[in-house]
Every structure is written in C-alpha cells, then in structure tokens.
C-alpha cells in the first residue's frame, strides 16, 4: 500500500496538470475568438484611433448582437476614413474652422474649392422624440458624406449624455463660442436666411452666395423648402459654407433620387437597404452610462434565452380606457401567434406539463417596450396562468414604464435609447406602425420587423401585421412635387429601389432592388 501511494499521487498530479492545461487552452481559444470578433468588428467601419474605454459600446456591441450578414462595402469604409481625416482637419479648434467661422460675419462669400464646409444638425430643445432625432442625424451625416461637408451637432441638447464622440481626434459639437450659437433659437421658417423663404423671394442664385443657409426639413415643410431635393438647387446650395438644418425625418430616400448623389450612393451601398444599418452602427454609439443600462438588462433577462422576441408598442390613436387597450392587445396576440413568433396557450389545460431534469424546455424571452406596463403585464399573465401548446417557457420583461413621452428629460431619453438598443438585439421584432422608435431598433439590428398595422375604428386589422419589405426607416413626408413640377415624380415611382412604405402609404423607403 505504501509503495502504491507515490503512484497515486503522481497520477493525481498528472491529472491536475492535464485539467489545468485543458482549461488554459480553453481560455486561450476564448480569448482568440473574442479577439477575432473584435478585430473583425474593428476592421469593418471603425478606425483604430479611437479610445475603447471612453466608449465601451463601440467595441462590445458585437458580443451582444448576432454577427451582421450585411458587410459594409470597401468604398464605404474608404469614404468614412477620408471623412474622419477631413473632420480632423476642419473640425472645431483647427485653423480651418477658425477661418470658416470668421466668414459667418459676412452677408455673402466668394466660393473657393479649398474651403472647409459645414452642416450643423440642430434639434429643437423640446418636443422632438429621440427616434426622430436619430433618423435625422443619420440622414444629415449621409448628406455630409455625399457633399464632403463636416457635420456638427448642437451641444445644448443631451446628445453628449446619450452618444459617444464618433470621430477620432476631434469633436462633432459646435463650440459654445460659435457666432451661430446665439442665433439658433431664431432659426425658423420666417428666418431671413431660410432657404425656402429666400427661394420664394428670389433672393438666392448662383452668383449671390450667402455665408450660411437655414434648411427647414420638418414634416410640415413647404414647396420651396422641398426644392432642397432637386439636383439643380443642390448646385447652388453646395457653394454655401455653412448650412444649419433642422429635421425630424429620415430623408435618405430622396437623396437617392438626386442623380449626382445616386451615382455615389450606389457605390457606397451596393445593397441599398443597408444605409441606416451601417451608418447608425458607425455614428450612434451609446455612452458608457447608457451601455451599462443595456448590458445589465440583457444579462439579467435576455442572455439565457434560446430565442428573443422584441415587441414595441406605441398607440397613436385617441383612447379613453386605460391600457392595455383590448383591440391593441388582441392585435399583438393575433400577430405573434399567427406568425409563429409566440406559442399559443392551452386554456383547457390539456397540455399541462411538469418540467423534469431530463429535458429542459425551450426558453423564449419577450422584451416589451411601451410607455405603459399594461401590455407586458397582460402577456406575462397569459403565459403564467396557462401552459403553452408547444411546451416552451415564455418569460416577459419590460425595462421601464414612463407613462408618457418626456423628450425634454435626460433620464427618459437615456432609457429610450437603452430600450432601442435592447430591441435591436432580439432575434425578431414586432413594431408599431409609423414609429421611429421601432425604425431605429430594426435598422440597428439589421432586422426586417413585423409591423402592427394601424387599427381602424378601434378594431384589429386583418391581417394584424405584415413583414417589412426592408429594414430601412420610412420617410414619412417626402416632397409632393418633383423637380419638374409634376405631382408624384419625386415619390419613388422613378426607381425600383424606392417604394411606398407598408405603414405609411404616402411615405417612401429604400428596398433592395431585385429586378
């Protein structure tokens, strides 16, 4: 027995060393896989000159989302690298920026091809939802890329609390000492430098170039404002050093209808319905505080699920009863069960099952985003009180219930952004018609959502929902008149890759042309 002890000890040591070696190799494999994910993500659209710690979401998003099947074109990657260099050369604090700012004091300027030109994206300080702000920022950034302008944003809003600085070695915020800062509140449709007003009054032409122009691109813009989307008007606008723009729309589809832009866009986005997907993932990364809200919620409620379904509920119609509104709830259930997104429940008890340790039931997590808790509570009760016909286990989670939209409050917007990001991490999403919140989530996630059609006369529509024709947001109010003055010629009938929206017939959206 004493002679056997050394052999036993030796064997145990070898076993221990073997296990330790296996664990070490496993760790190395995991690290290598993580590095591969990071490097693949980094080589797509991000430059290596950014600080990881200051914006964790930029580098960690790929660990929470499925790998996107939509790869950015090499032309887009090169364009972004060139833009970053331009922004660094012309951005706030540079001599070029100082020179350009001095010209704001002149009524008119002479055009020079060497000048740095800018477009300032301004959001009203109240009354504009975060979804609208995000789709308009992406639209303006694309316009900046196409026209080789520097995009700056108004820092009076909570943008810095929501999003990381997107460009290396510079800032995208208009400095507080800018001559434009004191004028921002006066920029409206009656402003003397409003493009539509100047055009109407014949105050702008190719020889009289103002130092700055105000672009009003809100949903209620007039016919003259809409001339912004005309090729021959862009030639004049292109000479103006400073553009100040306000918008609440995703006007990208109409940029595709400008012939000179379309040529560039086809090279940048060979798959035409990926514009928002690529640009939002490049531009709009949540700050560390918002990202912490996302990761904590995901880890606690979604990470263990076999499948994740996101349901976004926004009720626009006038209602008198408290939520859940019956026909809206009936529509959600009809849509999710009809499309096999959620299992049916057995109200008769014929499928009662007892979970055993031998077989674990499939777990499906449902993330509900809504201003009220009624819809998530109703779903939660339905799947708690009754077994599913498939044996699946359904859990329901809603991160917040804000009661009503509070766009002026920073914490509300942080929660809103966190929920948009969480929705984008789902395997499938169901969104409400005409909701920019839902548009952002599906676009960031690279998902073609199921859209809950707008109810008529407080009844469930038939069918209750339909699959989106693309993951692009809808441009709700495109120009009514084409640039040749004919009705409807600028609403998507000209090209096969711009069609009317599923949830907003007068709206237009980009689709992948399969013709």
């Amino acid at each position: 027995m004493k002679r056997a002890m050394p052999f036993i000890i030796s064997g145990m040591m070898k076993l221990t060393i073997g296990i330790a070696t296996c664990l070490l190799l496993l760790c190395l494999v995991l690290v290598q896989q993580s590095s591969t994910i990071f490097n693949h993500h980094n080589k797509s659209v991000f430059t290596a000159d950014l600080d990881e710690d200051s914006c964790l979401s930029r580098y960690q998003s790929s660990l929470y989302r499925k790998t996107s099947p939509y790869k950015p074109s090499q032309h887009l990657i090169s364009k972004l690298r060139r833009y970053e260099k331009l922004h660094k050369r012309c951005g706030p604090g540079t001599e070029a920026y100082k020179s350009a700012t001095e010209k704001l004091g002149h009524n008119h300027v002479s055009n020079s091809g060497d000048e740095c030109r800018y477009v300032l994206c301004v959001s009203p300080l109240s009354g504009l939802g975060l979804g609208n702000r995000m789709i308009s920022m992406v639209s303006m950034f694309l316009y900046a890329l196409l026209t080789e302008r520097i995009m700056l944003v108004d820092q009076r809003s909570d943008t810095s609390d929501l999003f990381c600085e997107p460009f290396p070695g510079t800032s995208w915020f208009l400095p507080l000492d800018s001559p434009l800062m004191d004028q921002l509140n006066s920029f409206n449709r009656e402003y003397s430098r409003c493009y539509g007003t100047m055009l109407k009054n014949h105050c702008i032409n190719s020889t009289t170039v103002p130092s700055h122009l105000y672009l009003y691109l809100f949903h209620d813009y007039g016919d003259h404002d809409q001339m912004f989307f005309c090729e021959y008007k862009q030639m004049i606008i292109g000479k103006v050093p400073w553009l100040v723009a306000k918008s609440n729309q995703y006007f990208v589809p109409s940029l595709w209808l400008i012939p000179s832009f379309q040529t560039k866009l086809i090279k940048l986005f060979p798959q035409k319905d990926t514009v928002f997907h690529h640009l939002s993932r490049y531009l709009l990364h949540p700050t560390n505080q918002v990202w912490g809200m996302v990761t904590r919620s995901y880890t606690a409620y979604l990470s263990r699920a076999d499948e994740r379904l996101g349901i976004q509920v926004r009720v626009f119609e006038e209602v008198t009863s408290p939520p859940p509104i019956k026909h809206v709830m009936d529509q959600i259930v009809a849509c999710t069960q009809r499309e096999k997104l959620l299992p049916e429940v057995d109200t008769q008890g014929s499928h009662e099952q007892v979970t055993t340790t031998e077989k674990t039931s499939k777990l499906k997590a449902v993330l509900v985003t809504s201003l009220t808790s009624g819809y998530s509570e109703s779903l939660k009760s339905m799947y708690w009180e009754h077994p599913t016909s498939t044996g699946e286990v359904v859990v329901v989670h809603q991160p917040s219930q804000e009661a009503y939209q509070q766009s002026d409050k920073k914490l509300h917007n942080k929660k809103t952004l966190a929920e948009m990001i969480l929705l984008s991490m789902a395997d499938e999403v169901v969104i409400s018609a005409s909701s920019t919140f839902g548009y952002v989530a599906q676009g960031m996630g690279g998902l073609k959502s199921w859209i809950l059609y707008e109810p008529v006369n407080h009844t469930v529509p038939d069918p209750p929902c339909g699959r989106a024709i693309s993951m692009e947001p809808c441009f709700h109010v495109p120009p009514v008149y084409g640039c040749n003055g004919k009705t409807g010629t600028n609403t998507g009938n000209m090209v096969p890759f711009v069609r009317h929206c599923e949830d907003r017939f007068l709206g237009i959206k980009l689709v992948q042309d399969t013709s």
Side-chain angles (χ1 to χ4, degrees):
M1 183 68 182
K2 290 181 179 180
R3 293 181 60 186
M5 285 297 293
F7 294 101
I8 296 174
I9 294 172
S10 176
M12 291 178 64
M13 290 179 65
K14 290 180 179 179
L15 179 62
T16 303
I17 293 172
I19 293 173
T21 302
C22 291
L23 289 173
L24 178 60
L25 290 173
L26 178 60
C27 289
L28 289 173
V29 169
L30 292 174
V31 168
Q32 186 177 14
Q33 288 178 343
S34 176
S35 177
T36 300
I37 292 172
F38 169 78
N39 289 330
H40 172 74
H41 188 59
N42 203 35
K43 287 178 181 177
S44 59
V45 293
F46 301 139
T47 176
D49 299 333
L50 291 162
D51 176 24
E52 180 178 355
D53 291 338
S54 65
C55 188
L56 297 173
S57 64
R58 182 181 283 116
Y59 302 94
Q60 294 181 2
S61 295
S62 59
L63 302 177
Y64 292 84
R65 291 194 184 106
K66 290 182 177 179
T67 302
S68 173
Y70 309 103
K71 305 305 177 187
S73 69
Q74 189 57 49
H75 195 76
L76 175 60
I77 294 172
S78 298
K79 186 72 171 177
L80 292 173
R81 294 294 86 80
R82 290 197 300 272
Y83 175 85
E84 290 163 359
K85 291 178 181 177
L86 181 65
H87 197 117
K88 194 171 184 178
R89 180 171 67 85
C90 298
T94 63
E95 286 300 318
Y97 171 82
K98 181 180 178 181
S99 176
T101 300
E102 290 172 352
K103 295 178 181 178
L104 283 169
H106 305 286
N107 289 329
H108 301 94
V109 296
S110 59
N111 184 53
S112 171
D114 296 329
E115 291 179 336
C116 294
R117 295 173 303 137
Y118 303 82
V119 55
L120 173 61
C121 189
V122 180
S123 296
L125 297 181
S126 62
L128 186 62
L130 184 58
N132 292 87
R133 284 170 58 186
M134 293 172 71
I135 62 174
S136 64
M137 288 171 73
V138 169
S139 302
M140 203 59 65
F141 180 61
L142 178 60
Y143 180 72
L145 285 180
L146 293 171
T147 57
E148 297 186 345
R149 289 181 178 272
I150 303 303
M151 188 181 88
L152 300 176
V153 296
D154 177 13
Q155 63 174 300
R156 298 175 305 163
S157 61
D158 57 357
T159 304
S160 62
D161 298 303
L162 298 173
F163 304 108
C164 303
E165 286 271 13
F167 312 123
T170 184
S171 175
W172 68 339
F173 288 114
L174 179 73
L176 293 173
D177 60 357
S178 169
L180 288 173
M181 189 62 70
D182 294 335
Q183 305 178 50
L184 292 183
N185 289 334
S186 63
F187 283 88
N188 52 48
R189 298 177 73 177
E190 288 71 42
Y191 181 63
S192 61
R193 295 291 180 86
C194 179
Y195 173 68
T197 301
M198 294 187 75
L199 196 61
K200 182 179 180 180
N201 296 331
H202 307 286
C203 296
I204 184 172
N205 54 57
S206 58
T207 59
T208 306
V209 181
S211 61
H212 68 280
L213 268 182
Y214 169 54
L215 305 173
Y216 184 82
L217 300 176
F218 264 71
H219 64 278
D220 59 347
Y221 57 171
D223 294 346
H224 288 90
D225 299 304
Q226 295 175 13
M227 299 298 283
F228 168 79
F229 297 105
C230 295
E231 173 92 60
Y232 67 100
K233 299 299 183 184
Q234 277 296 322
M235 295 175 65
I236 298 174
I237 294 173
K239 298 178 180 180
V240 181
W242 286 86
L243 300 178
V244 180
K246 289 183 182 179
S247 175
N248 63 347
Q249 301 196 82
Y250 185 70
F251 56 80
V252 166
S254 282
L255 296 180
W256 281 79
L257 299 179
I258 300 175
S260 61
F261 288 177
Q262 186 180 123
T263 303
K264 299 176 183 178
L265 285 164
I266 289 173
K267 293 180 181 179
L268 291 170
F269 302 98
Q271 190 159 354
K272 301 172 183 64
D273 59 349
T274 61
V275 177
F276 188 84
H277 178 66
H278 290 315
L279 293 187
S280 64
R281 286 189 170 199
Y282 169 82
L283 189 70
L284 302 174
H285 292 277
T287 57
N288 288 351
Q289 183 181 5
V290 177
W291 184 241
M293 297 166 68
V294 172
T295 55
R296 287 189 293 273
S297 189
Y298 183 93
T299 302
Y301 301 102
L302 304 177
S303 61
R304 299 174 184 85
D306 298 295
E307 292 181 8
R308 287 165 284 274
L309 171 68
I311 302 177
Q312 181 254 340
V313 186
R314 182 67 192 275
V315 179
F316 294 100
E317 60 183 306
E318 291 287 338
V319 293
T320 55
S321 60
I325 303 165
K326 186 179 185 306
H327 70 272
V328 176
M329 191 66 225
D330 290 345
Q331 183 179 4
I332 294 170
V333 173
C335 171
T336 54
Q337 294 187 354
R338 171 191 170 117
E339 305 302 338
K340 309 300 182 184
L341 301 172
L342 285 177
E344 296 182 4
V345 295
D346 178 17
T347 57
Q348 305 302 318
S350 57
H351 290 86
E352 285 286 3
Q353 297 180 358
V354 178
T355 304
T356 67
T357 57
E358 296 179 3
K359 184 179 180 181
T360 303
S361 298
K362 184 177 181 180
L363 178 62
K364 177 165 283 191
V366 182
L367 175 75
V368 178
T369 63
S370 175
L371 291 171
T372 59
S373 61
Y375 302 100
S376 64
E377 292 297 330
S378 183
L379 280 174
K380 192 180 297 182
S381 297
M382 183 172 73
Y383 286 107
W384 181 53
E385 295 170 1
H386 306 287
T388 62
S389 59
T390 60
E392 294 173 277
V393 175
V394 178
V395 295
V396 182
H397 170 59
Q398 180 171 347
S400 70
Q401 312 93 38
E402 296 289 280
Y404 59 94
Q405 185 168 300
Q406 306 169 56
S407 302
D408 305 340
K409 294 185 177 180
K410 290 184 178 182
L411 182 58
H412 174 85
N413 284 334
K414 289 178 182 178
K415 292 179 180 179
T416 300
L417 179 57
E419 292 186 0
M420 288 180 186
I421 303 297
L422 282 167
L423 271 183
S424 76
M425 295 174 175
D427 300 302
E428 298 275 5
V429 289
V430 177
I431 68 173
S432 297
S434 301
S435 173
T436 55
F437 184 115
Y439 295 161
V440 170
Q442 74 166 7
M444 281 191 160
L447 304 166
K448 291 182 180 179
S449 64
W450 296 92
I451 300 177
L452 295 167
Y453 295 131
E454 188 174 348
V456 179
N457 297 324
H458 307 291
T459 58
V460 177
D462 184 19
C465 63
R467 191 83 178 204
I469 55 177
S470 84
M471 56 189 174
E472 280 285 293
C474 176
F475 182 8
H476 284 171
V477 189
V480 175
Y481 293 93
C483 297
N484 58 9
K486 295 181 180 179
T487 304
T489 55
N490 202 24
T491 56
N493 298 327
M494 303 167 62
V495 291
F497 51 81
V498 177
R499 299 183 192 171
H500 286 290
C501 306
E502 316 89 324
D503 55 339
R504 196 101 165 194
F505 180 72
L506 294 179
I508 58 176
K509 70 186 300 185
L510 287 167
V511 299
Q512 178 59 17
D513 177 22
T514 56
S515 60

